Amino acid sequence: MAKNDFDELMSVGIDIGKDTFHIVAFDPDGLLVMRKPIKRLALVQTFEKLPRCVVGMEACLSAHFVSRTLRKMGFEPRIIPAIYVEPFIKGQKNDYNDAEAIAEAALRPNLPIVPEKSQEQLDLQALHRVRSRLVSRRTATINQIRAFLIEQGITVRRGLRALKNSFETILEERKEEISPRMRSILIGLYGDWLWLDDRIESVSKEIEQISRTEENCVNVMTIPGIGPMISTALVAAIGTGEAFGRGRDFAAWVSLVPRQYSTGGRTVLGRITKRGSRYLRMLFVQAAKVILMRTNRWPDFSFGDWLTKAAERMNRNKLAVALANKLARMAWSILRYKTAFDAPRDEVAIGV
């Protein structure tokens, strides 16, 4: 469509696919003026012919790349979480209806949008995802080794280290009970395990190196219980936290708040919502549990009095989530205002 076919657009919605994008555009009167599919490689060529306007897209793979590309061209891209697009879908679900819903949602002034990630954030996020996958594969490999040993009537006490220390001894002392083929399978799995250990250590060292050189990560690591993993994952996910107006909003996004079902002035709170970032939530809860294990250090923290009183009225799991919520809010504040926590620097050593 040539640029002079219309002088102005109100919004454009893009339904992003692997190879094909579906585009829907509205003029200032709210009338549908364009509805077409384009190839991914034709993105720049197509939008060069369009008037500059708001462009909405769902948060998904390549959304940040598309957003950066359009912003350089003078458009105003808005990345919208899919959960907020769904209420705008009319009729059956298809690519054009999705694009139309995105275009309408992009114009809502109070609708939360996803901040555009820089290439450095995407790289750091990729490192964490690779490490998470490797850890998952290592756990699966260890479980498979245990399962095969149990099928041979051999059990090993719980724990990764217990199995690693006794594996070669088991193969030697139980060689009469284990067939040559099963022995070969177990040795192969053990080799996979060792390779995964090396890869995890390599990726972890790279993440730790980044945490020591990135200013925001260094500031966040001054919080007790927070180390290289949490600080880098946090910066990769939210940058400097400008997407959130306050720490409570960030804690809610990480889903460290109760699920609410309130009506008629009656407030009903349940378990945590578990709607946000599962990975960050797991890391913050792990950090909280590390702190809870060291009760002798609580008086050294500025929140030590609160933690001592909370421990008297909460069970341990509930206390861990409450502390994780507090850590998340402090982390957001440090990122947003570029400050450091008031704890001594040696607290970094106990961090996750």
Side-chain angles (χ1 to χ4, degrees), residues 281-332:
R281 181 171 63 249
M282 174 196 69
L283 290 177
F284 275 114
V285 171
Q286 284 181 351
K289 289 182 176 179
V290 169
I291 294 176
L292 294 181
M293 290 170 59
R294 295 168 170 80
T295 55
N296 61 310
R297 306 293 294 275
W298 293 2
D300 299 333
F301 306 145
S302 60
F303 54 86
D305 290 341
W306 169 86
L307 187 55
T308 302
K309 293 177 182 178
E312 296 174 356
R313 67 179 188 273
M314 296 183 187
N315 64 58
R316 199 162 186 82
N317 288 335
K318 196 171 184 178
L319 179 61
V321 173
L323 179 55
N325 180 295
K326 183 173 285 290
L327 293 176
R329 290 162 64 175
M330 289 188 294
W332 174 86

Side-chain angles (χ1 to χ4, degrees), residues 152-165:
Q152 306 300 313
I154 303 170
T155 59
V156 183
R157 69 179 185 274
R158 294 176 62 181
L160 180 150
R161 188 171 299 176
L163 179 59
K164 178 174 283 189
N165 292 339

Side-chain angles (χ1 to χ4, degrees), residues 75-347:
F75 289 92
E76 184 184 344
R78 296 180 182 176
I79 305 175
I80 308 169
I83 191 172
Y84 296 125
V85 174
E86 187 174 352
F88 294 92
I89 296 178
K90 298 186 289 289
Q92 302 293 325
K93 175 177 171 57
N94 59 55
D95 295 329
Y96 287 117
N97 284 348
D98 287 348
E100 185 175 335
I102 293 168
E104 292 184 16
L107 295 174
R108 297 286 176 164
N110 297 324
L111 200 69
I113 61 175
V114 178
E116 187 180 293
K117 284 185 171 63
S118 66
Q119 187 59 50
E120 290 75 17
Q121 283 180 275
L122 292 175
D123 293 345
L124 191 51
Q125 180 178 267
L127 279 175
H128 274 275
R129 289 179 175 176
V130 168
R131 184 182 181 277
S132 179
R133 178 183 61 81
L134 291 171
V135 170
S136 177
R137 292 309 307 158
R138 180 176 66 181
T139 302
T141 301
I142 293 171
N143 289 341
Q144 194 166 49
I145 291 175
R146 286 184 177 276
F148 289 159
L149 288 175
I150 289 175
E151 288 179 350
Q152 306 300 313
I154 303 170
T155 59
V156 183
R157 69 179 185 274
R158 294 176 62 181
L160 180 150
R161 188 171 299 176
L163 179 59
K164 178 174 283 189
N165 292 339
S166 60
F167 182 79
E168 294 181 358
T169 303
I170 290 173
L171 291 184
E172 180 62 28
E173 294 181 353
R174 303 292 188 95
K175 57 184 177 182
E176 300 298 331
E177 305 173 33
I178 302 175
S179 67
R181 178 165 294 171
M182 179 56 67
R183 179 186 177 88
S184 175
I185 292 172
L186 289 172
I187 290 174
L189 287 173
Y190 187 68
D192 294 343
W193 180 1
L194 296 180
W195 180 85
L196 287 167
D197 274 346
D198 291 340
R199 286 282 290 124
I200 291 170
E201 184 178 0
S202 174
V203 175
S204 298
K205 285 182 178 178
E206 188 171 355
I207 291 174
E208 290 174 8
Q209 183 179 1
I210 294 172
S211 72
R212 290 193 293 267
T213 57
E214 216 284 335
E215 180 184 358
N216 290 321
C217 293
V218 172
N219 289 338
V220 172
M221 285 194 296
T222 59
I223 302 175
I226 292 185
M229 292 300 158
I230 296 180
S231 62
T232 52
L234 186 64
V235 170
I238 67 170
T240 57
E242 67 276 3
F244 304 98
R246 54 184 179 172
R248 287 183 178 182
D249 296 337
F250 171 63
W253 179 75
V254 183
S255 287
L256 289 170
V257 297
R259 184 187 301 274
Q260 186 179 62
Y261 185 82
S262 303
T263 184
R266 179 169 174 263
T267 301
V268 180
L269 301 179
R271 298 182 178 184
I272 57 174
T273 59
K274 296 187 178 180
R275 284 179 56 182
S277 172
R278 178 188 299 181
Y279 184 67
L280 271 180
R281 181 171 63 249
M282 174 196 69
L283 290 177
F284 275 114
V285 171
Q286 284 181 351
K289 289 182 176 179
V290 169
I291 294 176
L292 294 181
M293 290 170 59
R294 295 168 170 80
T295 55
N296 61 310
R297 306 293 294 275
W298 293 2
D300 299 333
F301 306 145
S302 60
F303 54 86
D305 290 341
W306 169 86
L307 187 55
T308 302
K309 293 177 182 178
E312 296 174 356
R313 67 179 188 273
M314 296 183 187
N315 64 58
R316 199 162 186 82
N317 288 335
K318 196 171 184 178
L319 179 61
V321 173
L323 179 55
N325 180 295
K326 183 173 285 290
L327 293 176
R329 290 162 64 175
M330 289 188 294
W332 174 86
S333 179
I334 284 175
L335 278 179
R336 194 72 187 92
Y337 300 108
K338 296 186 181 297
T339 59
F341 189 71
D342 56 3
R345 290 289 298 179
D346 59 3
E347 300 298 344

